[in-house]
Amino acid sequence: LRVDMLLGEEDSDNASHADSMIEVLFDNEEWTSAWINAEQEEAEQRIRGLTNDPLGWKPKVYSDGLGTDDVSTEHLGSLHEFYPPVIVTNSVEILVDLMSRTKYIHSPEHKLVWCRYVVKAALDTLSHHFKSEITRCEQFEHLIDEIGLPIIGGCLNGLHYLEHLLREPSGVLLETLALSPDIDRFLEKETNTLAILRRKWTNKLVTLAMKFIFTRFVQFQLSLVDEDD
């Protein structure tokens, strides 16, 4: 049925109507399952392919060489506040592509199936990668040092960037979707999941940072006492 070609042709006469080849696929449960599973796997592989990029956790502006070569490693985490990492900006391009394909699906119910299974597969793969990277930093006690901060900063601000694109009316991801109440609810649920993950690790990071500062302050006070003695 050449579904991939059909999904990629913006001028196709069969792109979005009740008798299109895509709608025919949805009429058969076995065909639908095989197709959606294949699309899920491809979406996951596209996101996973980005995780091997050696510049993946660099801020996008840094990887483009736009005047940030003098930024030290320990400051890369804070730079993410303004520039999301390469892995996130490249993932957004994939998500835009996946979400824009809903315009080739005629039925609102089938659009939702595409989002729930294919778009969600890409979001879940990216979210899982974030959690894995943060957990790895925590296990090796690198959450607030120069080794972990570029990754932690990239994860947390990358999550925040995705939340913005999924929730704000001007967000590029929302602009690609033919919205419906059901898709609105789907997006809100996915955005809340990202927000919960971000808040959880942000709070943990703040707690660790405060403990570190307090410990250093106590050490400083003790050093003053020793000098007086």
Coordinates of all heavy atoms in Angstrom, one line a residue, residues 48 63 70-71 85 111 123-124 133 167 203 214:
R48 N 16.3 7.1 19.4 CA 17.5 6.5 19.9 C 18.7 6.8 19.1 O 19.8 6.9 19.7 CB 17.2 5.0 20.0 CG 16.4 4.5 21.2 CD 16.6 3.0 21.4 NE 16.0 2.2 20.3 CZ 14.7 1.8 20.3 NH1 13.9 2.0 21.4 NH2 14.3 1.0 19.3
S63 N 26.9 23.8 19.7 CA 27.2 22.9 18.6 C 27.3 23.5 17.3 O 28.0 23.1 16.4 CB 26.2 21.7 18.6 OG 25.0 22.2 18.1
D70 N 34.3 29.5 24.2 CA 35.0 29.9 25.4 C 34.2 29.5 26.6 O 34.7 29.8 27.7 CB 35.4 31.4 25.4 CG 34.1 32.2 25.3 OD1 33.1 31.7 24.9 OD2 34.2 33.4 25.7
V71 N 33.1 28.9 26.5 CA 32.3 28.5 27.7 C 32.9 27.3 28.3 O 33.1 26.3 27.7 CB 30.8 28.2 27.3 CG1 30.0 27.7 28.5 CG2 30.2 29.4 26.6
P85 N 19.5 21.4 24.6 CA 20.6 20.6 24.0 C 20.2 20.1 22.6 O 19.0 20.0 22.2 CB 20.7 19.4 25.0 CG 19.4 19.3 25.6 CD 18.9 20.7 25.7
K111 N -6.8 9.7 14.1 CA -5.7 10.6 14.4 C -5.2 10.4 15.8 O -4.0 10.4 16.1 CB -6.2 12.1 14.3 CG -6.5 12.5 12.8 CD -7.1 13.9 12.9 CE -7.5 14.4 11.5 NZ -6.4 14.7 10.6
L123 N 7.9 10.2 22.3 CA 8.1 11.0 23.6 C 8.5 10.1 24.7 O 9.4 10.5 25.5 CB 6.7 11.6 23.9 CG 6.3 12.8 23.1 CD1 4.8 13.2 23.4 CD2 7.2 14.0 23.5
D124 N 8.0 8.9 24.8 CA 8.4 8.0 25.9 C 9.9 7.6 25.7 O 10.6 7.4 26.7 CB 7.6 6.7 25.8 CG 6.2 6.9 26.4 OD1 5.9 8.0 26.9 OD2 5.3 6.0 26.2
E133 N 19.8 8.9 32.0 CA 21.0 9.7 32.1 C 21.0 10.4 33.5 O 22.1 10.4 34.1 CB 21.0 10.8 31.0 CG 21.2 10.3 29.6 CD 22.6 9.7 29.5 OE1 23.6 10.2 30.1 OE2 22.7 8.7 28.7
R167 N 2.5 22.8 25.1 CA 1.4 23.5 25.8 C 1.1 24.9 25.3 O -0.1 25.3 25.3 CB 1.8 23.5 27.3 CG 0.8 24.1 28.2 CD 1.1 23.9 29.7 NE 0.7 22.6 30.1 CZ 1.3 21.9 31.2 NH1 2.3 22.4 31.8 NH2 0.8 20.7 31.5
N203 N 13.7 19.5 42.1 CA 13.6 19.5 43.6 C 14.8 18.8 44.2 O 15.4 19.2 45.2 CB 12.3 19.0 44.1 CG 11.1 19.9 43.7 OD1 11.3 21.1 43.5 ND2 9.9 19.3 43.7
F214 N 25.4 24.3 52.5 CA 25.5 24.3 53.9 C 26.7 23.7 54.5 O 27.4 24.1 55.4 CB 24.2 23.6 54.5 CG 24.2 23.5 56.0 CD1 23.8 24.6 56.7 CD2 24.5 22.3 56.6 CE1 23.8 24.6 58.1 CE2 24.4 22.3 58.0 CZ 24.1 23.4 58.7

